[in-house]
Amino acid sequence: MKRILIHGGTLVTADEVARLDLLIEDERILALGTDLPREGTEVVEAEGKLILPGGVDPHTHLNLPMFNTVSSDDHYTGLKAAAFGGTTTVLDFIPQEAGPLQDSIDAWMAKAAPIAAVDFGLHMNITSLSPAVLEQMGDLPGQGLTTVKVFTAYNGRLRLQDGEIFQVMRRAAELGMLTMLHAENGDVIEILTAEALAAGHTEPEWHAHTRPAWGAAESVLRAIALAEQAEAPLYVVHLNTAGGLDQIRYGRARGVAVMAETCPPYLFFTEDDLRRPDGAKWICSPPMRSAADNRALWSGLADGSIQTLGTDHCPFFYDGTQPIEYEGVPIAIPGKELGAGDFTMIPNGLPGVGDRLPVMFTYGVGQGRITLNQFVALTSTHPAKIFGLYPKKGSLLPGADADIVIWDPARRLKYGVAHAQHRTDYNLYEGWDLVGYPEKVYLRGHLIVDREEWLGKPGMGRFVARRTGGEIL
Amino acid sequence: MKRILIHGGTLVTADEVARLDLLIEDERILALGTDLPREGTEVVEAEGKLILPGGVDPHTHLNLPMFNTVSSDDHYTGLKAAAFGGTTTVLDFIPQEAGPLQDSIDAWMAKAAPIAAVDFGLHMNITSLSPAVLEQMGDLPGQGLTTVKVFTAYNGRLRLQDGEIFQVMRRAAELGMLTMLHAENGDVIEILTAEALAAGHTEPEWHAHTRPAWGAAESVLRAIALAEQAEAPLYVVHLNTAGGLDQIRYGRARGVAVMAETCPPYLFFTEDDLRRPDGAKWICSPPMRSAADNRALWSGLADGSIQTLGTDHCPFFYDGTQPIEYEGVPIAIPGKELGAGDFTMIPNGLPGVGDRLPVMFTYGVGQGRITLNQFVALTSTHPAKIFGLYPKKGSLLPGADADIVIWDPARRLKYGVAHAQHRTDYNLYEGWDLVGYPEKVYLRGHLIVDREEWLGKPGMGRFVARRTGGEIL
Amino acid sequence: MKRILIHGGTLVTADEVARLDLLIEDERILALGTDLPREGTEVVEAEGKLILPGGVDPHTHLNLPMFNTVSSDDHYTGLKAAAFGGTTTVLDFIPQEAGPLQDSIDAWMAKAAPIAAVDFGLHMNITSLSPAVLEQMGDLPGQGLTTVKVFTAYNGRLRLQDGEIFQVMRRAAELGMLTMLHAENGDVIEILTAEALAAGHTEPEWHAHTRPAWGAAESVLRAIALAEQAEAPLYVVHLNTAGGLDQIRYGRARGVAVMAETCPPYLFFTEDDLRRPDGAKWICSPPMRSAADNRALWSGLADGSIQTLGTDHCPFFYDGTQPIEYEGVPIAIPGKELGAGDFTMIPNGLPGVGDRLPVMFTYGVGQGRITLNQFVALTSTHPAKIFGLYPKKGSLLPGADADIVIWDPARRLKYGVAHAQHRTDYNLYEGWDLVGYPEKVYLRGHLIVDREEWLGKPGMGRFVARRTGGEIL
Amino acid sequence: MKRILIHGGTLVTADEVARLDLLIEDERILALGTDLPREGTEVVEAEGKLILPGGVDPHTHLNLPMFNTVSSDDHYTGLKAAAFGGTTTVLDFIPQEAGPLQDSIDAWMAKAAPIAAVDFGLHMNITSLSPAVLEQMGDLPGQGLTTVKVFTAYNGRLRLQDGEIFQVMRRAAELGMLTMLHAENGDVIEILTAEALAAGHTEPEWHAHTRPAWGAAESVLRAIALAEQAEAPLYVVHLNTAGGLDQIRYGRARGVAVMAETCPPYLFFTEDDLRRPDGAKWICSPPMRSAADNRALWSGLADGSIQTLGTDHCPFFYDGTQPIEYEGVPIAIPGKELGAGDFTMIPNGLPGVGDRLPVMFTYGVGQGRITLNQFVALTSTHPAKIFGLYPKKGSLLPGADADIVIWDPARRLKYGVAHAQHRTDYNLYEGWDLVGYPEKVYLRGHLIVDREEWLGKPGMGRFVARRTGGEIL
């Protein structure tokens, strides 16, 4: 039995800010108190520091095969990068392969579990529906998989038809599960993309031109309507448009159980970034939009219309022909260069799992756009509650896992690829000034990050079985 | 050369109310003036009467095969009923049959043209898309068919996929044509209907339960998004929900070229009417909704968010086993009774082509919900302009066809099946008090209705070739 | 008896575009027709030209004392400028002076009537309320004054309290009159202005800073609420903000009888223009706002939420120390230079009465933002209808006054002070390219403008008594 | 030093639900933990019970002189009733009397402090503004008074002009204080009331007719605009209309720091209740509205647009001529009967301080309209945070005051005046079924309510000095 007393820090939760001692026993928080006794404990002084529940990232794609390559972070490197950024639980998506869902799950678990660097849970994509699949959904909650994701885009690959989505939603609701949705209009994208290519448009900006913002807005309302009719809750992933937010607000004000996630890049970048010479770095789906969309999304975070910040972490090398050194070893994985002559061949995805907390602390809290409580709520407590991880994760109450970040609110640094720990060769926030950064990160009571030092190990992260009946926020 | 001088009446157009003489020469209006000379004219005294442009009904289904029967008005009886209600031009829909579009057109023309009682134009349904059909759309404008209609509902029968709708819209825009849309979510309807039947729900009210209002709202926004992306104008037929109207307003305020039609029954009736013992009388698609929806639609007419009033006239007998007498002959056509044990077998559709002007005059103008100019705009000028009939139709300016209604604003009557001229055995407004009714109706200068007397003949109505580039209102 | 036949032109009204002959007899339109007989008429060939009803400007301030000077156009020069721009009726505001309303009216009539160059009506400002004034309002309709204007701004000068506005609205409604409203928050303006001056801020841009846009938005809703409670119609003058438009739409969708006017400058200019070295040229109240507000107002014109275009014409010299030549005589009137050291001393107001039609034709119709019918509706028919001038004005129907503009849609010119006929030394649209311009202007059958030639005379314009019960659009 | 261990209960906070022990030392919470040691503690078993932070009621009027009587609960009886209902901190309003603010504060403190039954804070009404008052506002924060309330209604009594409100807001913002607002349009109310009386309308329902809902909506937007311009936060008290909520949402989505409170009666009752024979029981300002308003307010609680539930507790006897027995003594205080012949003489106000938690638990949480966390947030944590009481109040974290409610979620009772502890002769929820009720209530570690037993004493409640810089939620 090991006890750690974090003393003198300021606890920050989704609703509280309080100067309190926190006592860890083994892997869990044992007590909170004022002047807890020090005897028998390892005392960590945290004067002037913030004590946060470890971040929960609801949205990553690690080691994901795509376009003849694979996202460049696996469940070790990606989750290690998460830890450096203050995130100790990550929810990763399982692609649905042919065959029973269980096969897809087993395969993904086999990739992830042995090497996971922090705790992780899994969402199940449903990209091909049949009565058998609906039936098999019933096996997921018992394994702690309580969420499914569907797509209104990616015709012929990932998309379900509206009626299929409706059936998934009803089945999920029946099982106490939550349906997540990627909202774009697949039909229009398919047509515009074919036409753009036929017209010889190959540049990255055509990725945005061929995925119009209005399609994102309408598909949000479409899914809201389906959810209302299915009497099911809905979670819209990576909201990227003002129009989509308008519809989220419309649905919520009419009593529909709809929630939304956005990702930091959508708050800062626009289609203009795709027109840069290195525009491929910003290619993901849905795409960056306009400054007006950025502003709208900030307002949605502030007024509670958007409940979570995820990352959709799915990194690729910008130049996968040039090795970088990672843990002392040179590595190169084919990446954005695959689409040099064809924007549709640019692997879709961005690094971000480690950027989330530092970037949002400086540019969200520090600039007065969100409060400190909202920062914790959006990055940890809300994802934990919505996804059935709470109160094990996302909480600093006794009984919770001792996933704790000691955050130095005063630390200044110039951010970028040299700092971020993603296994890729670029960072979207290269050269940005940050104020505030993780100092120590504990995973279930184990110190895994101490400033720049990595103390974790592959496999230290555990799979977290999640509850059904997650909260509607 | 024949001249008729309508003297002393008050002309009402979409924007004007003026006491003026109107001179007809043969089939057209020759002049408007104050104290036009009477010599050589047949003078019709219209003191105390309103002079309206003949109504234009943008939406009917005459002699339409459905569910092993046929809508009970053909192009003679239905258009005659229209005339009695003050409507002199009707736009009827051509179902798309297998084979080239031209075959469908030719077949429909063969049914309609020989017997039409008033002027008519045709819309082309596109319910099965192929490159050939897209190509064939190019043949329509030259024949005066400048509108196509698509459906987001009726899976497996009439529905197109979103991408197909998008392609139709773009092709239409390229040709200067307008795309009309039936907005419901076909997938959800398909599922709910199958389930309702499986659960033994056979009553008419299940027609409404299985076609949820949220599906109408989302599909309106979906079509707006498709139209915006296609850079094409859009006309939403038979808007029946407050939610759909919210989205129409949303699109219009953002500059999208979207227009909407509603039909009188959606202003007066609700799902409750479907629960009446004779609820089948109110079965049409989309269904009647709530009193709150009624109110919202009235507000949309008043503030200009809804531009037209159509009827979606598609009558069936309530009891098609009991003959009624029509033009002295007993006739019975299988009707609503077909669905006595299964709501999905109730022929979908309502009588209304003759009710539109009288009902809206009394309950719209008379109750101060719309102005006299709006009455004319909604029932005549706007449909004429939107559908490329203007200024031939929908106008009282010289040069226009002399389609004229002399309206007695003071005439009182108790309305119902005894008065309406539809070839069916019931009327939705049975027993309603009306104030204001057509007195004389001219079709291209020919007096076809003189109070209760029918002076028209089968075949007197002509096909009207319509222009491309109809107006966006 | 004199007859003029305008032959071969294309008539444009609020709802019609038709190639028609138009016959004038003396001062009125006698007939419209196709191929009207030419005998006994003076034939004016108008092939390729548009025939418009003369413009109706609902909002001017001529010869208005302000800040120790006077607006630089009087009822001759200003109305002459109107005529050159295609406007033949102008509604000017009577300031309320101490004493009975009748005294104010008589004084203003004495200034205006003898010299008026085109027809004019008068609105009565109510800026000081008492039971006597409420009583005296009863004398206005009989004199053809059927509108009153109130202000929520200009504390201590023009402003009425909410309760007073409510009383004016109810009294007006009782009398069939319409209440017009200048919507800003006077209290906040008063405070911010005093503070800005105390802080030594003297530049024109402080005019905008001290009149915040939110005050315009809230006072629109405030007035809508007052009107709804008073069961009275409301007309918001010179709407200049997106927020105000949001509230106009909010009120209209809830059935409130509220209408709005905007003025061309609010569609083109922003606060940035106030920061120009000659920023004082753009000083009026309410001020120019942002590009986002410009865009919103265009959408309001297009979707019908805004019903009229006025000018709020109230010109001042930019440099009133330098005479200009006007009708061959040098004239200088103190102007914007009065506020060189103090933005609150800059006379508030802009020239515009002559710019309205040409600028809106090129930049509204020509750029596809409004249709030709909307152009006529916004600039002529709607103001005529709302203000009880219709069908005498704003119409081309027989019986209407023969106020007619023959418009050359193809004429190109570079606009500016050299072209505009306002009696001032600058024009807001200096150097703008125009396509389309008035060719001939008739006032009640009299040709008063023939391209660059002025054929009118002081006193030729008549006072127009207006009806009560103007329309709600 | 006394220690109490609450063992085995389920802690509920604004964001957490967790089975945890809670250790109290003297007046504060010392620790939270799993299986905290029992030695040296009084153990309270709470198996199956909820442990809530004591309720914080942000809005009461105790012992308030009005209409020649006084609200019938004083700072002993009212706060005792609060305690029985689970509320341990109450914020009461100080009326501004003539003279320095300090005099008003001292007088109110003299009434409240000696007898307070639970902790209390004070808001300062600003109903008469002068430079001196603005200056004196600077003395409030030092005394723990960090909020001021202003009114847009009650002309001639409580109302400030817009400019005065703007000045108060700016001064408050400068001092880190929050401005609270009663939003109705005083001018219209003044006029309609006088007219209703003059017309002989004396019944309670005229209270509602003379205070139109549109006035509440517009004054919310007006205050939002003032706040935005003042760069000050705003808290709208007792929101009662859908229209007001529309504007709250409008402001929040545009980044304005505006928050809103509603009160339980506005969620359940309508103007129809005022038409009951005992309608006077429901008379308060603003009045009950419609069922549509009820529904809208529930949606605002659910989607976070409304942040707090207050009571506006201001009870009066329904029949103040009939004594009731209170603590064994008969007492009668003139009440609603004062307005028997004149609705304007009915004392304005409702009992409610004790009803809030029980009613909202059963009809909010129990009926699935709000979550358990929202229940705590709305009734305790949010008011504590917004009003600068947090983390002393509204929290269960160590260091917080040990204000704790042990809530029995299973207890069933039929509610009404026999149960509620208000010193009045009626209860709005008479006969309502409740499920869930307070079992034990601790005030700073002292057990003051044990089921039906009162263990508190006058004067046991302390004045709570509040912090400036309360949170914006």
Side-chain angles (χ1 to χ4, degrees), chain C residues 133-149:
Chain C
V133 167
L134 282 171
E135 180 63 29
Q136 293 161 21
M137 279 175 64
D139 300 331
L140 301 184
Q143 303 179 62
L145 276 73
T146 57
T147 38
V148 288
K149 182 179 171 196

Side-chain angles (χ1 to χ4, degrees), chain D residues 47-168:
Chain D
E47 193 68 38
K49 302 297 187 295
L50 305 178
I51 313 301
L52 315 175
V56 176
D57 189 336
H59 193 155
T60 67
H61 300 284
L62 299 168
N63 202 358
L64 178 71
M66 190 193 300
F67 298 0
N68 299 318
T69 183
V70 73
S71 62
S72 64
D73 266 325
D74 63 22
H75 294 85
Y76 171 62
T77 67
L79 297 187
K80 176 181 153 193
F84 270 101
T87 291
T88 51
T89 306
V90 163
L91 301 181
D92 198 52
F93 286 88
I94 308 172
Q96 180 187 6
E97 304 294 343
L101 294 183
Q102 195 61 48
D103 293 359
S104 298
I105 297 167
D106 293 345
W108 207 256
M109 278 294 279
K111 293 209 298 189
I115 62 169
V118 298
D119 287 1
F120 69 101
L122 297 172
H123 304 295
M124 183 75 227
N125 285 357
I126 303 289
T127 55
S128 171
L129 194 67
S130 65
V133 167
L134 282 171
E135 179 63 27
Q136 293 161 21
M137 280 176 63
D139 300 330
L140 301 185
Q143 304 179 60
L145 276 75
T146 56
T147 38
V148 288
K149 183 180 170 196
V150 294
F151 298 75
T152 56
Y154 300 109
N155 285 14
R157 285 204 291 140
L158 305 178
R159 180 183 176 182
L160 295 190
Q161 294 302 310
D162 290 355
E164 294 175 316
I165 291 173
F166 178 67
Q167 289 175 288
V168 168

